[in-house]
Amino acid sequence: MEESPKFTPEQQALLEQARQGSRAAAQALFEQIIPFVLCVVRQVLDFPLRRLFDSDHFVEEVRIELWDHDLPPHALDSAEAFLGYLATTAKHKVSDERRRWVDAQCRTLRRQVGLDDGGADTLPSRTRPPDAAVGDLEEWCKF
């Protein structure tokens, strides 16, 4: 991962305000370091998930986490601690979606077949005669 950005005096002041309990300061600081969070997300976001999610989705997930939950006290100890907290949160958000969409057996992306990959052959034909559909219905009723 690239080296953590150095905080400007303004960002250090925002960090100090956030340490004293200002959520607005934490949000303002987050707005200034979005490029860092985006870089972290892009490093851990692999191809299967890139088909479903944009990197900005995970940045917004981190923003929601920052807004909806109280920061742990250690996350505001220093600039490095705050960046580490955001990086870890971003990695966890990507990992959650990877478990949901790649690793889970019930909706794994490995089972999806694109239309260009032969999936179109399994779709019902639009030119199927109506009597064939009626025959299917009769078979189903007998069952």
Side-chain angles (χ1 to χ4, degrees):
M1 183 165 37
E2 76 177 26
E3 185 177 324
S4 298
K6 304 295 182 208
F7 275 20
T8 64
E10 176 191 353
Q11 291 170 331
Q12 288 289 355
L14 286 171
L15 182 63
E16 183 58 36
Q17 291 172 10
R19 192 177 296 127
Q20 294 171 2
S22 171
R23 291 179 89 97
Q27 284 295 324
L29 183 57
F30 179 79
E31 291 297 324
Q32 294 182 14
I33 56 175
I34 283 177
F36 170 76
V37 177
L38 192 58
C39 180
V40 170
V41 168
R42 287 181 176 158
Q43 286 178 350
V44 296
L45 188 62
D46 51 0
F47 176 72
L49 288 179
R50 285 181 193 266
R51 291 180 13 201
L52 295 176
F53 298 102
D54 186 50
S55 301
D56 291 331
H57 168 81
F58 293 103
V59 172
E60 290 305 312
E61 289 289 324
V62 173
R63 181 192 317 267
I64 291 168
E65 182 79 18
L66 185 65
W67 186 257
D68 286 348
H69 300 95
D70 291 331
L71 290 171
H74 66 82
L76 297 170
D77 287 345
S78 66
E80 292 79 16
F82 186 65
L83 293 173
Y85 171 76
L86 294 177
T88 301
T89 301
K91 290 175 185 177
H92 286 186
K93 294 295 180 182
V94 173
S95 294
D96 290 346
E97 293 301 331
R98 183 179 299 116
R99 275 191 298 276
R100 183 173 179 214
W101 290 100
V102 177
D103 299 337
Q105 293 296 315
C106 61
R107 72 169 73 86
T108 180
L109 289 175
R110 293 182 188 112
R111 293 174 54 192
Q112 291 185 359
V113 179
L115 295 177
D116 295 335
D117 299 331
D121 299 337
T122 62
L123 294 175
S125 171
R126 290 182 181 249
T127 60
R128 188 169 181 215
D131 58 340
V134 171
D136 289 346
L137 180 61
E138 289 173 354
E139 287 295 320
W140 177 252
C141 290
K142 288 180 186 176
F143 181 65

